Amino acid sequence: MKAEAFLQCSQCKKILFSVEFEQLLRVCPHCGHHHRLLAKQRITATFDPESFEELDKEISSLDPLEFPDYEEKLEAAQAKNGATDSVISGWAKLDGMKVSAAVADFSFMGGSMGSVAGEKITRTLERAADAHCPAIIFCASGGARMQEGLLSLMQMAKTTAAVQRCRENGVPYISVFTDPTMAGVLASYASIADIILAEPGALIGFAGARVSKQAGVSKAPSDFQTAEWVLQNGMIDKIVHRREMRTTLTNLVKMLSWRLVKHG
Amino acid sequence: MAKTWKEWERPLIEVEENIEKLKQKAKASPEAEREDLLKRVAEFERRRDNYIEVMYSRLGPWEKVLVARADQRPYTLDYINSIFTNFTELEGDRRFGADHAIIGGPAYLDGEPVMVIGHQKGRNITERQYRNFAMAKPEGYRKAIRLMEMADRFGLPLISFVDTPAADPSVESESRGISEAIAASMLKMFELEVPSVSIVIGEGGSGGAIGIACASSVLMLEHAIYSVIPPEGCAAILWRMPDKGAQAATALKLTAAWAKEFGLIDEIVAEPKGGAHRDAIEAAGLAKEAIVRHLKLLKKKSGSKLKQERYEKFRKMGRFLSENPVDALAKTR
Ligand SMILES: [Zn+2]
């Protein structure tokens, strides 16, 4: 596929130079809109160059419920995205410091969490707890993966239990809400991190637009479920511009893990 | 179009009505005819019982949804009143306000104190509004967390009754952090060093349900449902047709049998013939037997062992393909 030299910002509709847009980590120079990143782009934008070592590549989704069209949807997503599922996990470094990291990719079936995503998040947190390294998780998800039914719901419990392991071992865990962080992911491991950061403008909420509409969420404020609204309500700690994310994470991780470093 | 509860139970209701009419007629009839009429009543009753047995032994996924949601079905307080004594409801979340969709407090189970929590539905419009249709707000989960902490502090086993369509999706719930409240409630359950038993008695509705269902033993009533999304919501997403709920219910495999098959619950608790709503007392008796049996086993274990085993149980949940021989081995276990 030939890269286009120009593209249009979906928010302000202004024309952007592709090269400049990529250099700005896909943040619009005119309106500041943070366009979504693929997991691979996120890794490059955040961690030390060449430091990411992907793990858990050997696991992939089954279709345990024989759910209508699930296999086809999975195959299509795999072909389009090049990844096996919605989360990439492994070791990474931030300013030389080893961290256990997971990055979700909304472009893979809406970043939905089924058995594979749940397992990868759990392993990420367990590796952090066992190796006494900080955990960093970038969230991007519409919620639990409907096509795996109750198995997906149980990933909420499983990942939450793994957060408990980090806490017990005194290992810091930071989650970053990117656009969008919703439903089953928000209501499990994402919301119980020691520190929660978010990107500007990210959609963050429990109920999807469809459910909210049914529940008569007509009197919702105009900025309902945005990172800014969620911050105002005290549910997250800080909104961080994408170009500042690496520095902010590095700074926080170093302060919270001084004891781990001191004792080796 | 999926059948409603009324449409589905109509044949049975008609038989019941006919039996009642015959009984009235027998009462008013001279003695000579009465005996014959009573014989017919007995015959009708026998046929009705047969019908109920066959009907309830063959419930499809959608019929389970109807039964699980039926407003005659016993709710948490019905079970509490049958199973425990001295239940003393405690209402404060110490944060924002009282929530009536999740109730809880200490009670005696066969003379021993326990902590009970559960979603509470309402039977009529007033009750339903008061209970917010058993859709808990953040304060409901935060109250549950308080009660769990207290249970842990004073060594009371925790028993939770799960029966909710979903957590409350309103703007106010969002503004007070419904997601964090659910996650924190699950996290608290994983910290507990006292025995815990959860029982899904009706609707196990997604995040709202799992928020108070991370127990050492998870039980599920025979006709209860447990699902990641309501079938109507699933149908709306899949086919843009919420009225295809019946097809979605089948696809979601939301029955107790499937939950057991996938290793996501520990035991299916039988219901009285014709469902829990035909005999709430018997239903509570069956539930109590299972709860007591599980608690007895769990009480023998230390707090750290309970924590570890609970972790390992939930840790195994999920089905995926792995090319790693260690994982593959674990699968065939
Ligand atoms: Zn723009």
Side-chain angles (χ1 to χ4, degrees), chain A residues 86-103:
Chain A
S86 62
V87 169
I88 294 182
S89 50
W91 293 116
K93 280 184 178 164
L94 268 177
D95 196 20
M97 184 166 190
K98 192 175 175 182
V99 296
S100 179
V103 178

Side-chain angles (χ1 to χ4, degrees), chain A residues 118-140:
Chain A
E119 178 70 17
K120 287 188 173 186
I121 296 291
T122 304
R123 288 186 186 185
T124 300
L125 293 163
E126 283 181 339
R127 278 194 289 265
D130 293 345
H132 295 268
C133 283
I136 293 176
I137 301 182
F138 280 87
C139 310

Side-chain angles (χ1 to χ4, degrees), chain B residues 80-140:
Chain B
I80 290 179
N81 292 332
S82 282
I83 297 174
F84 308 96
T85 53
N86 264 39
F87 172 65
T88 309
E89 190 181 350
L90 305 177
E91 294 203 47
D93 76 329
R94 303 288 197 276
R95 295 286 182 275
F96 177 82
D99 183 85
H100 306 293
I102 287 183
I103 56 164
Y108 281 113
L109 174 61
D110 290 337
E112 280 188 45
V114 294
M115 188 63 81
V116 189
I117 56 173
H119 302 102
Q120 180 62 39
K121 289 189 173 179
R123 274 217 169 74
N124 53 46
I125 291 169
T126 321
E127 270 181 31
R128 276 188 202 124
Q129 279 173 348
Y130 180 69
R131 298 294 178 189
N132 195 32
F133 306 89
M135 297 191 296
K137 294 177 180 170
E139 38 279 19

Side-chain angles (χ1 to χ4, degrees), chain A residues 2 7 10 14-15 17 19 37 40 53 60 101 115 147 154 174 178-179 182 193-194 196 204 212-213 215 226 252 259:
Chain A
K2 190 174 153 282
L7 55 93
S10 60
K14 292 211 169 108
I15 301 298
F17 292 103
V19 175
L37 291 183
K40 293 214 164 99
E53 179 198 336
S60 55
S115 298
Q147 290 87 346
M154 292 305 148
I174 301 180
T178 72
D179 185 56
M182 303 293 291
D194 294 298
I196 303 174
I204 298 163
S212 298
K213 212 177 277 174
T226 60
L252 288 170
R259 205 168 53 184

Side-chain angles (χ1 to χ4, degrees), chain A:
Chain A
M1 203 167 67
K2 190 174 153 282
E4 301 287 336
F6 300 96
L7 55 93
Q8 190 183 34
C9 173
S10 60
Q11 191 70 24
C12 68
K13 311 290 174 204
K14 292 211 169 108
I15 301 298
L16 314 170
F17 292 103
S18 294
V19 175
E20 188 196 5
F21 182 59
E22 295 302 331
Q23 278 168 351
L24 293 170
L25 308 173
R26 304 179 72 86
V27 177
C28 174
H30 305 289
C31 70
H33 181 67
H34 283 51
H35 293 257
R36 286 173 186 155
L37 291 183
L38 299 173
K40 293 214 164 99
Q41 295 169 322
R42 176 79 59 187
I43 288 165
T44 311
T46 313
F47 301 110
D48 293 359
E50 311 290 313
S51 74
F52 187 74
E53 179 198 336
E54 189 179 350
L55 298 169
D56 314 320
K57 277 192 283 193
E58 74 283 5
I59 63 172
S60 55
S61 291
L62 287 168
D63 181 12
L65 272 61
E66 296 177 13
F67 198 93
D69 305 328
Y70 183 33
E71 261 182 80
E72 291 76 6
K73 276 184 187 149
L74 264 177
E75 277 165 25
Q78 283 162 349
K80 191 180 130 210
N81 187 284
T84 51
D85 216 280
S86 62
V87 169
I88 294 182
S89 50
W91 293 116
K93 280 184 178 164
L94 268 177
D95 196 20
M97 184 166 190
K98 192 175 175 182
V99 296
S100 179
V103 178
D105 198 325
F106 188 75
S107 72
F108 193 105
M109 288 190 76
S112 58
M113 175 164 70
S115 298
V116 168
E119 178 70 17
K120 287 188 173 186
I121 296 291
T122 304
R123 288 186 186 185
T124 300
L125 293 163
E126 283 181 339
R127 278 194 289 265
D130 293 345
H132 295 268
C133 283
I136 293 176
I137 301 182
F138 280 87
C139 310
S141 176
R145 187 171 292 170
M146 182 177 76
Q147 290 87 346
E148 291 183 30
L150 195 59
L151 288 155
S152 294
L153 187 70
M154 292 305 148
Q155 304 310 309
M156 290 173 67
K158 178 166 133 180
T159 54
T160 296
V163 174
Q164 165 63 11
R165 287 273 289 259
C166 286
R167 290 193 174 192
E168 275 186 352
N169 287 11
V171 162
Y173 155 43
I174 301 180
S175 67
V176 184
F177 296 176
T178 72
D179 185 56
T181 298
M182 303 293 291
V185 164
L186 187 66
S188 61
Y189 67 89
S191 284
I192 43 174
D194 294 298
I195 295 175
I196 303 174
L197 308 177
E199 286 199 328
L203 188 71
I204 298 163
F206 177 68
R210 201 189 310 267
V211 180
S212 298
K213 212 177 277 174
Q214 278 170 0
V217 183
S218 47
K219 37 189 198 305
S222 59
D223 59 348
F224 181 53
Q225 291 185 335
T226 60
E228 292 71 17
W229 185 81
V230 176
L231 179 78
Q232 277 305 308
N233 284 293
M235 294 306 145
I236 60 174
D237 297 306
K238 199 173 184 58
I239 294 176
V240 180
H241 191 285
R242 194 171 284 162
R243 71 167 176 267
E244 305 290 339
M245 189 59 81
R246 177 181 154 78
T247 323
T248 308
L249 280 173
T250 308
N251 191 22
L252 288 170
V253 151
K254 284 196 169 167
M255 287 193 275
L256 295 190
S257 48
W258 71 280
R259 205 168 53 184
L260 301 177
V261 176
K262 205 169 97 189
H263 299 298

